[in-house]
Amino acid sequence: MSVTNFCKLDTALNLLRKLPRVTLSNIKDNPGSKKKPKRGRAQHGGDKHGAGNKGSGQRQNYMRLGYETGNNPFYLRFQMEPYYKGHHLRRQYPPLSLLQLQKLIDTSRLPVDKPIDLTAICNTGLYVCKPDKHHFGINLTDEGADLFQAKINIEVQWASEQVIAAVERNGGVITTAYYDPQSLWAAVNPRRFFMKGVPIPKRMIPPQDAIDYYTNPANRGYLADPEKVSWERLVLSQKYGYKLPEIEKDPQYRMLCERKDPLQVFFGLEPGWVVNLHDRKILKPCDEEVKAFYNPQ
Amino acid sequence: MLLNITKRLVCRKWSTRSMSSNVLPHNEQEMETAVVPSTPILKRELLYPCKYECPREAWVENLDTVKEQKLGMIHLHPEVFGGKPRMDLLHRNVHWQKMIRYVSFAHTKTRAEVKGGGKKPWPQKGLGRARHGSIRSPLFKGGGIAHGPRSPTTHFYMLNFYSRIHGLIAALSVKLAQDDLHIVNSLEIPTEDPKYLEELIENRNWGPSVLMIDVDDIMPQNISVATDEVPHVNLMPVYGLNVYSMLKHSTLVLTVNAVDRIEERILYHLHRNDGREAVKPYHFNNNS
């Protein structure tokens, strides 16, 4: 609220001091807030109620949509051209801009001394990811790339070249990682997931049409060779013309190097573990067969 | 009304003085009005301190003597006690509180429910009379009612969550702005006699009706007994605080603990980041 608003507010409250006491009997709603029923009554108000005189119109016998009284309808006149075939099955990545990310950091909603992942961003309550709507995580967009100042270790699901450059220019690290729908349900709302009392799932490998993206070091894919990734970091810094900060000499080097295992959903928790929120305990599997299932060598 | 104005004048005198300096009263005339301690401002941490506005101030009074003693002054959060005095929100809250429990039992019978009328009263043609199929048609005297009220009709609806929050803020702010809000250290009174309370209310220019709010729903025994027979002095726990009751009673009396609790709850809802959960449509048996 701005300062001017507060001045107006003070005027209103000061005015109230001189007015009679506000009681049940002298309050009313804003004028025009209640809509009156539209249908008129009486001599002329009740004439036709907007339906016109005589015939099909008066009976409100509307033709079905697109029907042209016997003509070949426009919507059937041409062949179907399925531009959007299967679009309802495609993966969606709801966008989060670098500007929004910077704002989340500046307002202390995201700590920069820890790795930031989908769970941390969803926990701010200001980013919504709905796995049932075919959302597959964050698309970090380049809006506000010039203003982005934070040095972070962030894991997103999709990022463009400009975004990767903006993060790495500040000495940060970015990874793109795939979460299958089951892991995503756990990641977007860990509390609800832990309340179910089921083991943390292992993260599946990406589907066939996404495996190229997540193994590509230019996209900082989580399945890419780390050495190739560091080469690509240098290439990108030369392409965009900034000096690549040396993260090896950074005091936060350990934090910046922290990555999740490709099978891991949460930092610090392994697949197969059960989190008991009620007793605040973590239950780990003992059975060899179960262990082998969750941690294949 | 006149009493109310004189009371406001007194209060304004105090408030202007407190703004100029926080020292003891200088002349005897002020000494007569109340006894003031040496350090008027009582320490109180405000949650979510407001950047752009100074906190509101209010005296803390006592209830254990008929005559008012000012125990000190506390800061009130400007977002809770200095919010917008939205009359429309007050009205919507009051209307919602009335309607949420209102069930209309007005009932009429349709032509199917009125007794008789199964037989065609006269032949369709040949009599020169209008055609009719039933003597219980809505056109007939003693017939059924078309589109009449049907019982029971509920008028239940939920007001938007943040309209309810801002309604509470508006009501508290209006009460403070109109000097109808008083803060006491506790609800302990020395006697069970209702006359004591009536005398106290008369002496301090409160009321006539007074609503007293404390945190717990188990109130001190003396005040519970004293207010039991007096219909216009009522006790309420913080969880029952509502716009209707605040506007129904002329004066609102809060304990310091109640102020803490009200501020904490309202500020939590104003600053929570999962407000999306709170404004979800109401469902019966919604466990979230």
Side-chain angles (χ1 to χ4, degrees):
Chain A
M1 205 186 277
S2 70
V3 178
T4 4
N5 271 352
F6 272 120
C7 293
K8 283 178 195 165
L9 183 58
D10 265 348
T11 320
L13 289 171
N14 282 336
L15 190 63
L16 267 179
R17 293 180 71 87
K18 302 182 183 80
L19 290 170
R21 180 180 284 140
V22 176
T23 63
L24 290 177
S25 56
N26 57 13
I27 46 175
K28 62 176 178 183
D29 214 335
N30 287 337
S33 60
K34 284 245 163 61
K35 217 176 174 184
K36 287 195 171 167
K38 207 178 165 192
R39 186 175 156 231
R41 304 262 178 185
Q43 193 182 6
H44 300 298
D47 277 348
K48 300 284 185 283
H49 307 302
N53 199 11
K54 291 211 273 193
S56 184
Q58 188 186 26
R59 279 161 220 120
Q60 307 199 343
N61 177 23
Y62 302 118
M63 290 176 294
R64 71 180 146 81
L65 210 60
Y67 184 60
E68 295 177 18
T69 60
N71 293 346
N72 189 14
F74 186 82
Y75 78 98
L76 293 176
R77 211 173 283 174
F78 313 103
Q79 271 188 330
M80 186 143 126
E81 297 175 7
Y83 304 115
Y84 298 112
K85 190 175 180 187
H87 90 290
H88 63 293
L89 299 171
R90 296 182 62 186
R91 288 190 300 280
Q92 311 281 326
Y93 295 89
L96 178 80
S97 71
L98 281 171
L99 190 68
Q100 282 171 300
L101 184 65
Q102 182 70 56
K103 220 191 301 178
L104 290 178
I105 291 166
D106 290 346
T107 50
S108 312
R109 292 168 207 264
L110 281 177
V112 286
D113 54 348
K114 282 182 197 165
I116 296 169
D117 63 346
L118 177 64
T119 309
I121 291 172
C122 284
N123 280 347
T124 63
L126 298 174
Y127 177 83
V128 182
C129 177
K130 295 176 177 170
D132 57 334
K133 297 273 191 288
H134 292 276
H135 295 176
F136 276 72
I138 301 163
N139 173 13
L140 197 59
T141 59
D142 59 351
E143 191 184 341
D146 296 338
L147 301 170
F148 190 71
Q149 296 289 327
K151 185 174 71 183
I152 46 169
N153 175 5
I154 190 169
E155 185 197 75
V156 290
Q157 281 62 50
W158 203 269
S160 65
E161 198 181 62
Q162 292 97 314
V163 170
I164 295 172
V167 173
E168 289 180 353
R169 187 190 59 197
N170 297 327
V173 178
I174 184 166
T175 318
T176 52
Y178 174 80
Y179 284 71
D180 64 291
Q182 206 195 347
S183 313
L184 206 64
W185 275 113
V188 296
N189 195 342
R191 188 183 166 75
R192 184 177 56 195
F193 176 76
F194 294 148
M195 297 282 263
K196 281 190 199 165
V198 295
I200 299 168
K202 60 180 177 184
R203 197 141 53 102
M204 295 290 138
I205 55 164
Q208 216 167 15
D209 57 344
I211 203 132
D212 279 349
Y213 184 87
Y214 291 106
T215 48
N216 190 349
N219 298 327
R220 308 294 183 266
Y222 74 126
L223 299 175
D225 182 1
E227 282 185 9
K228 284 184 184 163
V229 169
S230 57
W231 172 250
E232 288 292 340
R233 280 166 62 86
L234 184 67
V235 169
L236 193 64
S237 73
Q238 290 181 354
K239 179 175 177 186
Y240 279 80
Y242 57 86
K243 190 172 176 298
L244 188 67
E246 288 182 47
I247 59 167
E248 294 83 359
K249 291 178 185 166
D250 199 287
Q252 288 181 305
Y253 176 65
R254 290 191 61 161
M255 186 279 284
L256 291 173
C257 284
E258 224 174 308
R259 299 287 144 75
K260 280 180 193 171
D261 189 82
L263 298 180
Q264 205 179 4
V265 180
F266 301 109
F267 277 113
L269 296 173
E270 284 177 22
W273 291 5
V274 180
V275 177
N276 185 342
L277 288 181
H278 185 258
D279 300 336
R280 307 184 71 78
K281 275 185 186 153
I282 292 174
L283 310 169
K284 298 173 188 175
C286 302
D287 188 50
E288 289 304 320
E289 206 175 330
V290 176
K291 272 190 196 171
F293 173 76
Y294 281 111
N295 291 307
Q297 297 306 319
Chain B
M1 192 61 209
L2 189 66
L3 285 178
N4 209 7
I5 288 170
T6 52
K7 182 191 69 174
R8 282 179 199 173
L9 285 174
V10 170
C11 288
R12 202 168 303 158
K13 190 170 69 185
W14 278 108
S15 58
T16 49
R17 194 191 59 77
S18 74
M19 265 184 259
S20 59
S21 64
N22 294 330
V23 291
L24 284 167
H26 298 295
N27 53 36
E28 286 181 19
Q29 195 192 350
E30 284 186 355
M31 282 297 283
E32 274 176 17
T33 328
V35 184
V36 181
S38 54
T39 51
I41 304 283
L42 299 177
K43 198 167 161 48
R44 185 160 176 269
E45 289 284 314
L46 292 185
L47 301 161
Y48 306 101
C50 193
K51 242 185 205 173
Y52 302 111
E53 214 194 4
C54 309
R56 308 271 149 174
E57 290 171 341
W59 286 108
V60 180
E61 305 167 21
N62 68 326
L63 279 188
D64 50 15
T65 54
V66 169
K67 199 167 176 211
E68 177 182 331
Q69 286 179 359
K70 294 194 189 317
L71 305 174
M73 189 175 255
I74 56 168
H75 287 165
L76 302 173
H77 200 287
E79 280 183 39
V80 178
F81 289 92
K84 288 181 190 164
R86 290 270 304 266
M87 294 301 141
D88 58 324
L89 275 187
L90 292 180
H91 176 269
R92 269 180 233 168
N93 271 272
V94 167
H95 184 254
W96 167 69
Q97 281 188 261
K98 281 180 186 164
M99 296 313 274
I100 193 171
R101 46 184 290 182
Y102 172 57
V103 179
S104 169
F105 291 104
H107 189 75
T108 53
K109 286 182 176 174
T110 66
R111 58 185 291 168
E113 290 161 348
V114 183
K115 195 171 178 180
K119 190 181 76 171
K120 192 169 176 68
W122 50 79
Q124 181 82 348
K125 297 173 80 69
L127 294 184
R129 304 188 66 177
R131 44 200 177 185
H132 282 293
S134 164
I135 59 159
R136 298 305 184 202
S137 136
L139 303 183
F140 274 65
K141 177 174 168 289
I145 305 290
H147 306 305
R150 304 288 290 170
S151 165
T153 307
T154 59
H155 295 263
F156 177 90
Y157 71 100
M158 286 306 275
L159 192 65
N160 181 336
F161 181 78
Y162 281 100
S163 298
R164 285 180 264 156
I165 293 290
H166 287 289
L168 286 175
I169 292 173
L172 289 167
S173 307
V174 162
K175 283 288 176 196
L176 183 69
Q178 299 200 317
D179 291 332
D180 287 328
L181 185 128
H182 297 272
I183 294 169
V184 295
N185 58 341
S186 79
L187 294 185
E188 293 287 352
I189 56 170
T191 159
E192 294 183 350
D193 188 7
K195 276 186 186 156
Y196 172 84
L197 259 186
E198 278 179 14
E199 217 174 291
L200 184 145
I201 289 167
E202 181 70 29
N203 188 282
R204 299 188 186 187
N205 285 329
W206 289 1
S209 51
V210 179
L211 179 67
M212 299 189 180
I213 312 276
D214 201 355
V215 175
D216 300 325
D217 46 9
I218 297 171
M219 304 283 178
Q221 182 174 347
N222 282 352
I223 200 154
S224 309
V225 177
T227 55
D228 194 29
E229 295 292 313
V230 190
H232 55 275
V233 180
N234 293 302
L235 304 175
M236 188 181 268
V238 164
Y239 65 72
L241 187 71
N242 63 86
V243 173
Y244 186 95
S245 304
M246 278 195 270
L247 296 187
K248 187 178 170 73
H249 294 82
S250 315
T251 303
L252 182 66
V253 177
L254 306 176
T255 60
V256 177
N257 289 341
V259 171
D260 288 341
R261 181 88 180 129
I262 291 168
E263 275 192 6
E264 187 259 311
R265 290 317 298 161
I266 289 182
L267 288 171
Y268 163 71
H269 286 303
L270 290 181
H271 290 91
R272 64 191 282 189
N273 66 359
D274 60 340
R276 196 179 279 109
E277 294 294 315
V279 297
K280 270 185 182 171
Y282 173 82
H283 292 296
F284 185 65
N285 265 350
N286 190 358
N287 294 322
S288 64

